[in-house]
mmCIF file of all heavy atoms in Angstrom:
data_model
loop_
_atom_site.group_PDB
_atom_site.id
_atom_site.type_symbol
_atom_site.label_atom_id
_atom_site.label_comp_id
_atom_site.label_asym_id
_atom_site.label_seq_id
_atom_site.Cartn_x
_atom_site.Cartn_y
_atom_site.Cartn_z
ATOM 1 N N ARG A 386 65.020 171.251 190.437
ATOM 2 C CA ARG A 386 65.244 169.806 190.517
ATOM 3 C C ARG A 386 65.739 169.350 191.718
ATOM 4 O O ARG A 386 65.248 168.353 192.301
ATOM 5 C CB ARG A 386 66.135 169.265 189.276
ATOM 6 C CG ARG A 386 65.581 169.623 187.850
ATOM 7 C CD ARG A 386 66.535 169.365 186.793
ATOM 8 N NE ARG A 386 67.727 170.208 187.011
ATOM 9 C CZ ARG A 386 68.752 170.137 186.239
ATOM 10 N NH1 ARG A 386 68.814 169.444 185.226
ATOM 11 N NH2 ARG A 386 69.746 171.013 186.512
ATOM 12 N N ASP A 389 62.886 169.488 194.177
ATOM 13 C CA ASP A 389 61.979 168.237 194.042
ATOM 14 C C ASP A 389 62.704 166.993 194.689
ATOM 15 O O ASP A 389 61.967 166.335 195.479
ATOM 16 C CB ASP A 389 61.907 167.855 192.526
ATOM 17 C CG ASP A 389 60.905 168.809 191.855
ATOM 18 O OD1 ASP A 389 60.121 169.605 192.505
ATOM 19 O OD2 ASP A 389 60.790 168.748 190.529
ATOM 20 N N ARG A 392 62.246 167.175 198.316
ATOM 21 C CA ARG A 392 60.849 167.007 198.798
ATOM 22 C C ARG A 392 60.456 165.544 198.775
ATOM 23 O O ARG A 392 59.599 165.048 199.546
ATOM 24 C CB ARG A 392 59.860 167.723 197.773
ATOM 25 C CG ARG A 392 59.782 169.174 198.215
ATOM 26 C CD ARG A 392 59.230 170.046 197.133
ATOM 27 N NE ARG A 392 57.732 169.818 196.957
ATOM 28 C CZ ARG A 392 57.066 170.263 195.913
ATOM 29 N NH1 ARG A 392 57.578 171.005 195.061
ATOM 30 N NH2 ARG A 392 55.756 170.071 195.909
ATOM 31 N N PHE A 394 62.931 162.916 199.137
ATOM 32 C CA PHE A 394 63.640 162.187 200.181
ATOM 33 C C PHE A 394 63.623 162.843 201.535
ATOM 34 O O PHE A 394 64.082 162.231 202.582
ATOM 35 C CB PHE A 394 65.162 162.063 199.700
ATOM 36 C CG PHE A 394 65.393 161.279 198.533
ATOM 37 C CD1 PHE A 394 65.383 161.717 197.317
ATOM 38 C CD2 PHE A 394 65.319 159.959 198.706
ATOM 39 C CE1 PHE A 394 65.533 160.946 196.189
ATOM 40 C CE2 PHE A 394 65.528 159.010 197.658
ATOM 41 C CZ PHE A 394 65.726 159.477 196.301
ATOM 42 N N VAL A 400 69.931 169.749 207.196
ATOM 43 C CA VAL A 400 70.766 169.085 206.274
ATOM 44 C C VAL A 400 70.552 169.700 204.909
ATOM 45 O O VAL A 400 71.496 169.961 204.152
ATOM 46 C CB VAL A 400 70.545 167.599 206.271
ATOM 47 C CG1 VAL A 400 71.269 166.819 205.132
ATOM 48 C CG2 VAL A 400 70.998 166.943 207.553
ATOM 49 N N HIS A 404 73.614 171.393 202.927
ATOM 50 C CA HIS A 404 74.167 170.636 201.873
ATOM 51 C C HIS A 404 73.584 170.781 200.520
ATOM 52 O O HIS A 404 74.179 170.381 199.545
ATOM 53 C CB HIS A 404 74.259 169.126 202.357
ATOM 54 C CG HIS A 404 75.097 168.813 203.673
ATOM 55 N ND1 HIS A 404 76.452 168.894 203.539
ATOM 56 C CD2 HIS A 404 74.682 168.635 204.813
ATOM 57 C CE1 HIS A 404 76.882 168.703 204.690
ATOM 58 N NE2 HIS A 404 75.783 168.507 205.617
ATOM 59 N N VAL A 405 72.342 171.179 200.425
ATOM 60 C CA VAL A 405 71.741 171.415 199.204
ATOM 61 C C VAL A 405 71.505 172.956 198.824
ATOM 62 O O VAL A 405 71.944 173.306 197.681
ATOM 63 C CB VAL A 405 70.255 170.762 199.251
ATOM 64 C CG1 VAL A 405 69.490 170.856 197.815
ATOM 65 C CG2 VAL A 405 70.272 169.368 199.615
ATOM 66 N N PRO A 408 75.362 175.353 199.397
ATOM 67 C CA PRO A 408 76.526 175.236 198.259
ATOM 68 C C PRO A 408 75.982 175.968 196.965
ATOM 69 O O PRO A 408 76.830 176.314 196.216
ATOM 70 C CB PRO A 408 76.592 173.748 198.005
ATOM 71 C CG PRO A 408 76.186 173.114 199.423
ATOM 72 C CD PRO A 408 75.039 174.022 199.872
ATOM 73 N N GLN A 409 74.690 175.918 196.661
ATOM 74 C CA GLN A 409 74.270 176.593 195.461
ATOM 75 C C GLN A 409 74.393 178.208 195.619
ATOM 76 O O GLN A 409 74.546 178.948 194.613
ATOM 77 C CB GLN A 409 72.704 176.332 195.254
ATOM 78 C CG GLN A 409 72.484 174.828 194.846
ATOM 79 C CD GLN A 409 71.099 174.651 194.590
ATOM 80 O OE1 GLN A 409 70.491 174.976 193.512
ATOM 81 N NE2 GLN A 409 70.367 174.077 195.436
ATOM 82 N N TRP A 486 84.731 170.813 194.085
ATOM 83 C CA TRP A 486 84.017 169.847 193.333
ATOM 84 C C TRP A 486 84.013 170.205 191.862
ATOM 85 O O TRP A 486 83.638 169.357 191.095
ATOM 86 C CB TRP A 486 82.609 169.777 193.884
ATOM 87 C CG TRP A 486 81.791 170.974 193.857
ATOM 88 C CD1 TRP A 486 81.891 171.944 194.819
ATOM 89 C CD2 TRP A 486 80.875 171.513 192.922
ATOM 90 N NE1 TRP A 486 81.098 172.992 194.498
ATOM 91 C CE2 TRP A 486 80.499 172.666 193.246
ATOM 92 C CE3 TRP A 486 80.517 170.939 191.656
ATOM 93 C CZ2 TRP A 486 79.476 173.445 192.500
ATOM 94 C CZ3 TRP A 486 79.622 171.630 190.880
ATOM 95 C CH2 TRP A 486 79.133 172.888 191.322
ATOM 96 N N ARG B 119 54.527 163.798 188.410
ATOM 97 C CA ARG B 119 54.749 164.658 189.517
ATOM 98 C C ARG B 119 53.519 164.827 190.427
ATOM 99 O O ARG B 119 53.709 165.011 191.624
ATOM 100 C CB ARG B 119 54.970 166.125 188.920
ATOM 101 C CG ARG B 119 56.266 166.253 188.204
ATOM 102 C CD ARG B 119 56.524 167.689 187.689
ATOM 103 N NE ARG B 119 56.468 168.736 188.704
ATOM 104 C CZ ARG B 119 57.542 169.024 189.484
ATOM 105 N NH1 ARG B 119 58.689 168.291 189.343
ATOM 106 N NH2 ARG B 119 57.397 169.969 190.450
ATOM 107 N N LEU B 124 54.605 165.831 194.014
ATOM 108 C CA LEU B 124 55.508 167.087 193.752
ATOM 109 C C LEU B 124 54.627 168.203 193.186
ATOM 110 O O LEU B 124 55.084 169.403 193.237
ATOM 111 C CB LEU B 124 56.568 166.798 192.843
ATOM 112 C CG LEU B 124 57.685 165.902 193.284
ATOM 113 C CD1 LEU B 124 58.608 165.521 192.132
ATOM 114 C CD2 LEU B 124 58.496 166.564 194.450
ATOM 115 N N MET B 140 62.447 158.128 194.542
ATOM 116 C CA MET B 140 62.317 158.413 193.134
ATOM 117 C C MET B 140 63.687 158.393 192.512
ATOM 118 O O MET B 140 64.617 159.011 192.996
ATOM 119 C CB MET B 140 61.555 159.671 193.027
ATOM 120 C CG MET B 140 61.102 160.049 191.676
ATOM 121 S SD MET B 140 59.863 161.372 191.688
ATOM 122 C CE MET B 140 59.852 161.762 189.953
ATOM 123 N N THR B 146 69.976 164.224 189.201
ATOM 124 C CA THR B 146 69.641 165.196 190.295
ATOM 125 C C THR B 146 70.353 164.935 191.590
ATOM 126 O O THR B 146 69.983 164.561 192.674
ATOM 127 C CB THR B 146 68.146 165.122 190.608
ATOM 128 O OG1 THR B 146 67.511 165.098 189.209
ATOM 129 C CG2 THR B 146 67.668 166.266 191.372
ATOM 130 N N PRO B 149 76.251 168.061 193.136
ATOM 131 C CA PRO B 149 77.766 167.913 192.448
ATOM 132 C C PRO B 149 78.794 168.277 193.479
ATOM 133 O O PRO B 149 79.984 167.987 193.137
ATOM 134 C CB PRO B 149 77.589 168.959 191.384
ATOM 135 C CG PRO B 149 76.146 169.637 191.457
ATOM 136 C CD PRO B 149 75.498 168.983 192.600
ATOM 137 N N TRP B 150 78.476 168.902 194.550
ATOM 138 C CA TRP B 150 79.572 169.327 195.440
ATOM 139 C C TRP B 150 79.772 168.243 196.588
ATOM 140 O O TRP B 150 80.487 168.488 197.608
ATOM 141 C CB TRP B 150 79.199 170.711 196.098
ATOM 142 C CG TRP B 150 77.696 170.826 196.496
ATOM 143 C CD1 TRP B 150 77.114 170.316 197.571
ATOM 144 C CD2 TRP B 150 76.707 171.331 195.745
ATOM 145 N NE1 TRP B 150 75.793 170.530 197.478
ATOM 146 C CE2 TRP B 150 75.447 171.179 196.438
ATOM 147 C CE3 TRP B 150 76.662 171.946 194.363
ATOM 148 C CZ2 TRP B 150 74.327 171.539 195.808
ATOM 149 C CZ3 TRP B 150 75.490 172.253 193.803
ATOM 150 C CH2 TRP B 150 74.328 172.181 194.570
ATOM 151 N N ARG B 151 79.132 167.115 196.514
ATOM 152 C CA ARG B 151 79.224 166.099 197.543
ATOM 153 C C ARG B 151 79.731 164.873 196.723
ATOM 154 O O ARG B 151 79.268 164.636 195.737
ATOM 155 C CB ARG B 151 78.034 165.883 198.382
ATOM 156 C CG ARG B 151 77.550 167.052 199.214
ATOM 157 C CD ARG B 151 78.518 167.220 200.396
ATOM 158 N NE ARG B 151 78.177 168.438 201.120
ATOM 159 C CZ ARG B 151 78.706 169.696 201.120
ATOM 160 N NH1 ARG B 151 79.778 169.783 200.237
ATOM 161 N NH2 ARG B 151 78.267 170.666 201.885
ATOM 162 N N LEU B 159 73.755 161.846 203.250
ATOM 163 C CA LEU B 159 73.147 163.099 203.640
ATOM 164 C C LEU B 159 71.674 163.219 203.212
ATOM 165 O O LEU B 159 70.876 163.724 203.967
ATOM 166 C CB LEU B 159 73.889 164.268 202.914
ATOM 167 C CG LEU B 159 75.349 164.498 203.369
ATOM 168 C CD1 LEU B 159 76.072 165.459 202.460
ATOM 169 C CD2 LEU B 159 75.323 165.047 204.812
ATOM 170 N N ILE B 160 71.327 162.670 202.069
ATOM 171 C CA ILE B 160 70.041 162.765 201.661
ATOM 172 C C ILE B 160 69.020 161.756 202.257
ATOM 173 O O ILE B 160 67.826 162.091 202.541
ATOM 174 C CB ILE B 160 69.906 162.707 199.989
ATOM 175 C CG1 ILE B 160 70.753 163.799 199.491
ATOM 176 C CG2 ILE B 160 68.454 162.677 199.582
ATOM 177 C CD1 ILE B 160 70.258 165.334 199.902
#
Side-chain angles (χ1 to χ4, degrees):
Chain A
R386 293 169 303 179
D389 284 348
R392 284 167 68 191
F394 289 98
V400 172
H404 299 286
V405 181
Q409 294 183 73
W486 59 275
Chain B
R119 289 180 63 79
L124 292 172
M140 187 162 172
T146 321
W150 41 83
R151 295 288 179 261
L159 292 171
I160 297 302

